[in-house]
């Protein structure tokens, strides 16, 4: 029942049938209003403020036009996930087409040098790692182009940029669609580790050789890991392996030098250790 104030100052009780009829006769069908009890009524856009005062508390206007339905469809989880797949396929095709490894064959552009060249290389490094380019090749290139010190800093910066881009794309475009598919003991265990122990889990993944860089990025994006633990663990965990590859690239012209041999040992020993651990834990992985 609705209370209506009369001209004489008294109140009169309006019947539900009369109120519904008046409301229906005054509105077109461009806006619908969801009433908490489940009933809906349509209200004209220009009359929305006046009608809103007569509606129950909590009524929410819902757009039902073609543009609104199209927007909801384009912003749906699976539509965004399809966009993510399209972006990754396009990025991978672009890398295959332009072949960025030609920079090592033809040399760095002469107009770029010093810190500017390092910044450009870090940005390109980050972009093409999103397109699944192996990081070891890029780390070797950083050492060959910039030397051990500047090359290490450039490669780590590129790693963080690439990880952040992949994490952001996966979080915005893929998380909502993929999280309902996390079933099974292995997937739920990995998701629980990333979600509850983000920093230490990602740090272990970065230190452990053999885990693809892009796979770790997108797995973390689907989980509930925070941005800061992810980026910080990526920066710290990438230092040992990245530095070894950069030094190897910087000393590639002298393959018999002690520095080059130590760098190669730092690359090989963690790889062998990781293979041994994986072999011993194969039954648990199964």
């Amino acid at each position: 029942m609705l209370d209506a104030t009369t001209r004489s100052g008294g109140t009169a009780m309006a019947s539900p049938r009369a109120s519904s009829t008046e409301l229906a006769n005054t509105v077109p069908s461009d806006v619908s209003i969801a009433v908490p009890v489940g009933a809906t009524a349509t209200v004209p856009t220009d009359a929305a403020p006046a009608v809103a005062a007569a509606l129950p508390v909590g009524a929410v206007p819902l757009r039902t036009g073609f543009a609104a339905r199209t927007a909801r469809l384009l912003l749906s989880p699976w539509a965004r996930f399809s966009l993510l797949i399209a972006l990754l396929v396009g990025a991978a095709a672009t890398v295959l087409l332009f072949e960025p490894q030609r920079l090592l064959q033809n040399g760095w552009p002469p107009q770029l040098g010093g810190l500017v060249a390092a910044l450009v290389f870090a940005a390109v490094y980050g972009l093409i790692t999103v397109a699944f380019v192996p990081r070891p090749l890029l780390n070797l290139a950083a050492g060959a182009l910039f030397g051990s010190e500047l090359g290490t800093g450039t490669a780590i910066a590129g790693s963080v940029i690439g990880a952040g881009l992949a994490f952001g794309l996966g979080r915005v475009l893929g998380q909502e669609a993929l999280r309902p598919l996390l079933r099974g003991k292995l997937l739920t265990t990995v998701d629980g580790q990333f979600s509850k122990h983000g920093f230490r889990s990602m740090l272990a993944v970065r230190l452990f050789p053999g885990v693809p860089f892009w796979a770790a990025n997108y797995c973390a994006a689907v989980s509930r890991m925070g941005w800061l633990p992810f980026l910080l663990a990526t920066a710290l965990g990438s230092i040992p392996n990245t530095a070894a590859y950069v030094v190897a690239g910087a000393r590639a012209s002298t393959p018999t030098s002690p520095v080059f041999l130590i760098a190669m040992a730092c690359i090989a020993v963690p790889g062998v250790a990781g293979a041994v651990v994986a072999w011993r834990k194969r039954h648990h992985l199964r």
Side-chain angles (χ1 to χ4, degrees), residues 46-83:
D46 55 354
V51 178
L55 291 174
V57 177
V60 180
L62 300 175
R63 297 286 181 179
T64 58
F66 175 76
R69 291 195 298 269
T70 303
R72 286 196 296 270
L73 177 62
L74 294 177
L75 295 177
S76 65
W78 284 105
R80 284 181 286 163
F81 181 68
S82 300
L83 176 60

Side-chain angles (χ1 to χ4, degrees), residues 99-189:
E99 299 179 353
Q101 64 270 20
R102 289 184 299 179
L103 290 175
L104 295 179
Q105 301 173 0
N106 303 330
W108 193 255
Q111 61 270 24
L112 294 178
L115 184 59
V116 175
L119 294 175
V120 173
F121 184 87
V124 174
Y125 185 117
L127 289 173
I128 60 180
T129 52
V130 177
F132 316 113
V133 175
R135 287 179 60 249
L137 297 178
L138 299 174
N139 295 334
L140 292 171
L145 292 173
F146 304 108
S148 300
E149 293 80 9
L150 184 57
T152 300
T154 301
I156 293 174
S159 298
V160 175
I161 292 173
L165 289 174
F167 187 84
L169 288 174
R171 178 60 56 89
V172 174
L173 300 179
Q175 185 190 47
E176 192 173 350
L178 295 179
R179 281 203 65 81
L181 303 180
L182 295 178
R183 300 185 179 93
K185 185 177 180 180
L186 179 60
L187 292 179
T188 54
T189 300

